[in-house]
Structure formats: structure tokens, C-alpha cells
């Protein structure tokens, strides 16, 4: 039985800049930060300044406040006046409210002179032209022209620069894992959908006249959601090891990183206005990421079954318990389960790979290195097995680096060749001593390099 592999490009550790690295997320992050620098949208909204300076606000609101006091609603009148003292644009919703315009016109006969009524009508006619000159309304989502296409440019406009930087930095620990598992195209598609979903979430609680949707913090939460939607097993994250004074990859529960999106949501809620609309945008993006990634993630490919004989039920039960224990980060239970299989079948591939991970959890370095070398001796001829061994070899180098014997090393070199991990294979070939397996291993690697058009590298092999 072979663990299913995923239909995605095998990571090549020798080309991190353009192939393995999260370059789509990096380019989007750079564009977002540049957008805040060159179009920060922090300047006052021209249309709201005009509403105050033209005299239109005084006309309409003096009319409305007088009507409230005249109708024994002085408490509401005082609340509105107090709100205006704290926010000069507290009355901005009236600019677009048709009901308020109709009420003002009805009250005009009681509180305005004919000249004031004519002035009010003339100023009201200027509003469309004033809205068109407002940067935020042109880049965001103005009430006068709610085109969904604006959602895709709004994240590159405005918002707090420090909030954008904080969201990008908190996303950095997740970026490499997310883009490696999903692929560049799916990550870009998620961003585009995140802009649309967060914009819709914003409109659920935004009211006319409020600042239009802008800023990238809310759309970025779709990537956070996608990351957590993918996690069903421990992550291999770089952790500083003080004893060895180097970074080493260790298995970590993905839920330890859950405070990152929570921190972004809290910052969006506390430092973005309007509060509820922006929080709604962020939550909508995060939930969309959780759900969409279930559809977009690469589907597992079941390996070919070369042995038609049914598996021993006891062996299958032990393997199942082992993988379940790994999913719960229970190294002891996983180690015991896989050991039961290896006692009866020492070369069982699935049990070896499971034991390899379990012993990492237990930090049992001596046993782990022994299991690793046994795994590297595996023929790994079934579909997907060579790729799994190559990944284990990468982890072995990062954590241990202990040299391999020639017999183990030349067998591993053949496996790396089948996994198309050519540069690691070439590097390993230069480190190994002579052995009877060398000629065949070098011949296989040389043939594959020539097949890939890398004849110049094939000629350098001894």
C-alpha cells in the first residue's frame, strides 16, 4: 500500500527563486505596498469637503435639526450635533439618501426662504460632478456607480500602510507552504476571488455615503483561510535550534499559527473605518478561503496496485492507527503502530515513511537516522514512492547531514534520478565513495540528463 501523492509539481530545492518560491504572493504584496505609497487615499474626500464648504450641509441639517426640535425630538437633535463635533463627515450619508432629499424639500416651505430653496436645488444639481472628482469614490465603490470591477483595484488603493505591512508580514510564514501545495495559478486565482468576496462582504454592512471599499488587509485574509483549509497534518516549519545554531525543519501543528489571521482581523476591525463593514469583508474572505481551497486543491492520485493480493487486516489497522496518530501529533502512538508493521515486514514502504515522521516528532535522532537509511535503501519503484523518498532526503539533509554509506547512497541516487531530482542526485554522486552499485547509478543519471537536454552536465559525471 502506498500513500497517495498529490497532483502537483515536485518541488525542486535548487530553483527556489522562480519555481518553488511564493513569487505570486510576493509580487502581489509588492504591488499592494506600492499602491499604498503612490495612492494612499488618505487625503480628505473632495465630495464630502464640498458638501461642508458649499453651504449645502448647513442648509439641509439646520433644516432637519430645527424640524426635530420643533417636533419635540431635542434628544436626537443633540446626539446628531455631538456626533458632528467628533466627525466632520458624520452627515455624509445624507448626500446620497433620496428619502432625506425628499424630506428636505417638504420641510423647505416651513424653514427656508425662496432664495434658500433655489440655492439648495442648485447645489443638489452639482453633486454628480463633485462625486466624479473624488479619488476614493473613483477607485473604490461609489454609491453612484457600484461596478463590481472596482473590487479588483480597490485593494491597491488606500488603506493604512502599517496595516498592509503587518498583514503581509504575518502572511509570510504561510506563503511558501501555501503556494507550494496549491501552485502559482491557484494562488493567483484565490487572490482575484478574495478581492471580489471581500468587496461583497463589505457591502453587506456598508451604508451609502461611507468610505468606499479600499485597502488590501481584508482580501489578504482569503490566503489565510486557504492555508488553514489545506492543513490536515503537521507542518514542517523552520525552527531555530540553539544547540546546533541553525534552522531545522520540525513538525508543527498548523493550529499554532491560528493567531496570525485573528491578529489581522482584529487590526482590520480596530483601525479601519467603517469598522463593521471592514470586519465583514475580512471574515467573508477568510471563510471563502477555507471553502474554495477544498475545491481548488490538487486531488490525490491513487497509486497503481501491482499486487492484487488483499492486505493483512491487522497490518492495515496498524497503518491506519499510525497515520491517524501522526495527524494528532502523537509521536509515541504513531511509532508503536508503525513498529508493529515493520516487525513483520521490515521493508514496508508506508510504515518506513510513517516511522520516519514519527521519530522526528519524538526527537529520537539515532533511531530516526537508522530508519532514514533503511528508507533510502528502498527500491521505491511504485508510482509516487521516489518523490516521497526525495522529500525525506531533503529533510534528512536539513536536520542531520550525517554521511551515508556507499551502498545506501548509490541506491538513493537511483531513486532521486527516478524522482527527477537531478541536481541533488549530482551533488550526492560527488560525495559518495566507490561501490559496485556506482556504475549502474551513474549510467541511469547520465541517461536521464541527456534525455532532458542536459548533456553538458551528464559529461561531468565521473
Amino acid at each position: 500500500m502506498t500513500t497517495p501523492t498529490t497532483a502537483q509539481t515536485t518541488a525542486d530545492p535548487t530553483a527556489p527563486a522562480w519555481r518553488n518560491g511564493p513569487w505570486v504572493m510576493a509580487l502581489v504584496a509588492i504591488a499592494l505596498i506600492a499602491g499604498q505609497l503612490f495612492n494612499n487615499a488618505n487625503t480628505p474626500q473632495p465630495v464630502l469637503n464640498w458638501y461642508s464648504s458649499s453651504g449645502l450641509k448647513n442648509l439641509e441639517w439646520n433644516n432637519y435639526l430645527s424640524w426635530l426640535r420643533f417636533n419635540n425630538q431635542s434628544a436626537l437633535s443633540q446626539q446628531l450635533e455631538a456626533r458632528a463635533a467628533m466627525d466632520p463627515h458624520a452627515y455624509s450619508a445624507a448626500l446620497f439618501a433620496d428619502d432625506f432629499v425628499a424630506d428636505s424639500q417638504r420641510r423647505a416651505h416651513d424653514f427656508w426662504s425662496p432664495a434658500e430653496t433655489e440655492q439648495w436645488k442648485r447645489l443638489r444639481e452639482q453633486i454628480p460632478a463633485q462625486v466624479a472628482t473624488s479619488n476614493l469614490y473613483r477607485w473604490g465603490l461609489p454609491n453612484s456607480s457600484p461596478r463590481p470591477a472596482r473590487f479588483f483595484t480597490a485593494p491597491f488603493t488606500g488603506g493604512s500602510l502599517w496595516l498592509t505591512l503587518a498583514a503581509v508580514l504575518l502572511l509570510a510564514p504561510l506563503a511558501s507552504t501555501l503556494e507550494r501545495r496549491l501552485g502559482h495559478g491557484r494562488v493567483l486565482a484565490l487572490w482575484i476571488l478574495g478581492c471580489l468576496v471581500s468587496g461583497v462582504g463589505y457591502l453587506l454592512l456598508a451604508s451609502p455615503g461611507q468610505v468606499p471599499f479600499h485597502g488590501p488587509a481584508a482580501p489578504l485574509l482569503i490566503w489565510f483561510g486557504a492555508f488553514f483549509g489545506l492543513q490536515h497534518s503537521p507542518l514542517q516549519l523552520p525552527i531555530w535550534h540553539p544547540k546546533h545554531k541553525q534552522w531545522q525543519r520540525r513538525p508543527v501543528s498548523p493550529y499554532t499559527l491560528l493567531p496570525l489571521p485573528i491578529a489581522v482581523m482584529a487590526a482590520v476591525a480596530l483601525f479601519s473605518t467603517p469598522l463593521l463593514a471592514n470586519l465583514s469583508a475580512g471574515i467573508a474572505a477568510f471563510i471563502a478561503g477555507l471553502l474554495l481551497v477544498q475545491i481548488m486543491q490538487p486531488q490525490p492520485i491513487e497509486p497503481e496496485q501491482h499486487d492484487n493480493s488483499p492486505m493483512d487486516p491487522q497490518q492495515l489497522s496498524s497503518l491506519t492507527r499510525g497515520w491517524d496518530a501522526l495527524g494528532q501529533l502523537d509521536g509515541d502512538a504513531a511509532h508503536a503502530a508503525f513498529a508493529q508493521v515493520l516487525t513483520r515486514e521490515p521493508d514496508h514502504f508506508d510504515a518506513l515513511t510513517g516511522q520516519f515522521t514519527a521519530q522526528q516528532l519524538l526527537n529520537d535522532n539515532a533511531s530516526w537516522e537508522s530508519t532514514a537509511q533503511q528508507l533510502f535503501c528502498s527500491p521505491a519503484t511504485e508510482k509516487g514512492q521516489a518523490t516521497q523518498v526525495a522529500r525525506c532526503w531533503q529533510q534528512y539533509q536539513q536536520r542531520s547531514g550525517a554521511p551515508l554509506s556507499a551502498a545506501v547512497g548509490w541506491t538513493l541516487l537511483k531513486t532521486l534520478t527516478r524522482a527527477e531530482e537531478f541536481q541533488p542526485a549530482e551533488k550526492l554522486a560527488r560525495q559518495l565513495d566507490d561501490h559496485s552499485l556506482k556504475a549502474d547509478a551513474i549510467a541511469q543519471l547520465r541517461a536521464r540528463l541527456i534525455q532532458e537536454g542536459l548533456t553538458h552536465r551528464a559529461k561531468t559525471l565521473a
Side-chain angles (χ1 to χ4, degrees), residues 5 11 36 83 86 88 100 117 152 163 178 213 227 332-333 341 359 371 379 382 419 429 441:
T5 57
Q36 316 311 299
R83 188 183 305 172
M86 294 185 294
F100 183 80
T117 302
F152 304 118
L163 183 55
L178 179 62
F213 173 65
F227 175 84
D332 289 322
V341 179
Q359 288 169 346
T371 300
E382 292 188 22

Side-chain angles (χ1 to χ4, degrees), residues 104-427:
S104 296
Q105 191 166 13
R106 284 194 295 269
R107 293 189 295 265
H109 301 292
D110 299 323
F111 298 98
W112 285 339
S113 65
E116 288 175 325
T117 302
E118 288 302 318
Q119 180 189 11
W120 175 75
K121 291 180 180 179
R122 185 173 64 254
L123 291 173
R124 270 282 161 186
E125 291 172 355
Q126 298 177 27
I127 289 177
Q130 294 296 330
V131 169
T133 65
S134 178
N135 287 333
L136 267 181
Y137 279 84
R138 185 169 63 250
W139 280 82
L141 190 69
N143 179 264
S144 59
S145 179
R147 292 179 295 156
R150 296 181 187 272
F151 289 136
F152 304 118
T153 57
F156 297 93
T157 306
S160 169
L161 177 59
W162 80 263
L163 183 55
T164 299
L165 288 171
V168 168
L169 289 175
L170 290 175
L171 187 62
L174 320 181
S176 180
T177 300
L178 179 62
E179 193 152 339
R180 185 174 67 251
R181 292 193 179 184
L182 279 183
H184 306 309
R186 291 183 180 89
V187 165
L188 181 60
L190 271 175
W191 166 253
I192 295 172
L193 291 171
C195 295
L196 183 61
V197 171
S198 58
V200 172
Y202 183 92
L203 288 188
L204 291 177
L205 296 179
S207 59
Q210 284 187 331
V211 176
F213 173 65
H214 66 286
L220 283 173
L221 280 159
I222 197 168
W223 279 340
F224 285 98
F227 175 84
F228 287 98
L230 281 175
Q231 306 312 318
H232 304 295
S233 60
L235 297 170
Q236 294 289 336
L237 295 181
I239 296 177
W240 178 254
H241 196 291
K243 181 179 179 180
H244 298 93
K245 296 182 178 180
Q246 62 180 0
W247 292 93
Q248 296 183 351
R249 286 190 172 272
R250 295 290 183 85
V252 175
S253 171
Y255 298 105
T256 61
L257 301 176
L258 195 56
L260 298 182
I262 293 176
V264 175
M265 287 188 196
V268 168
L270 294 175
F271 301 101
S272 299
T273 55
L275 182 153
L276 291 179
N278 279 284
L279 183 59
S280 172
I283 292 175
F286 184 80
I287 294 175
L290 286 171
L291 299 177
L292 288 171
V293 78
Q294 307 305 320
I295 304 172
M296 299 175 67
Q297 65 179 312
Q299 296 300 311
I301 299 175
E302 294 295 337
E304 297 176 358
Q305 297 294 331
H306 298 290
D307 185 2
N308 294 326
S309 60
M311 179 175 286
D312 181 355
Q314 183 178 354
Q315 188 182 76
L316 179 59
S317 174
S318 298
L319 286 172
T320 302
R321 284 189 286 106
W323 290 114
D324 287 345
L326 282 183
Q328 298 172 13
L329 299 180
D330 189 345
D332 289 322
H335 177 275
F338 293 126
Q340 289 181 359
V341 179
L342 293 173
T343 300
R344 301 179 60 186
E345 191 176 341
D347 296 326
H348 193 286
F349 186 84
D350 287 349
L352 283 173
T353 55
Q355 194 70 290
F356 179 87
T357 304
Q359 288 169 346
Q360 285 188 76
L361 288 173
L362 295 174
N363 290 319
D364 186 356
N365 289 333
S367 299
W368 176 73
E369 289 183 3
S370 175
T371 300
Q373 298 206 25
Q374 190 176 359
L375 179 61
F376 299 152
C377 287
S378 171
T381 54
E382 292 188 22
K383 189 174 183 180
Q385 288 184 350
T387 300
Q388 288 180 268
V389 172
R391 291 173 182 168
C392 292
W393 168 240
Q394 183 181 3
Q395 295 175 30
Y396 182 86
Q397 289 179 295
Q398 292 170 343
R399 177 166 177 167
S400 173
L404 302 178
S405 66
V408 174
W410 291 114
T411 303
L412 173 61
L413 189 141
K414 294 180 183 179
T415 304
L416 294 176
T417 301
R418 285 194 296 276
E420 299 183 358
E421 298 285 348
F422 300 128
Q423 291 198 14
E426 293 172 73
K427 182 179 178 181

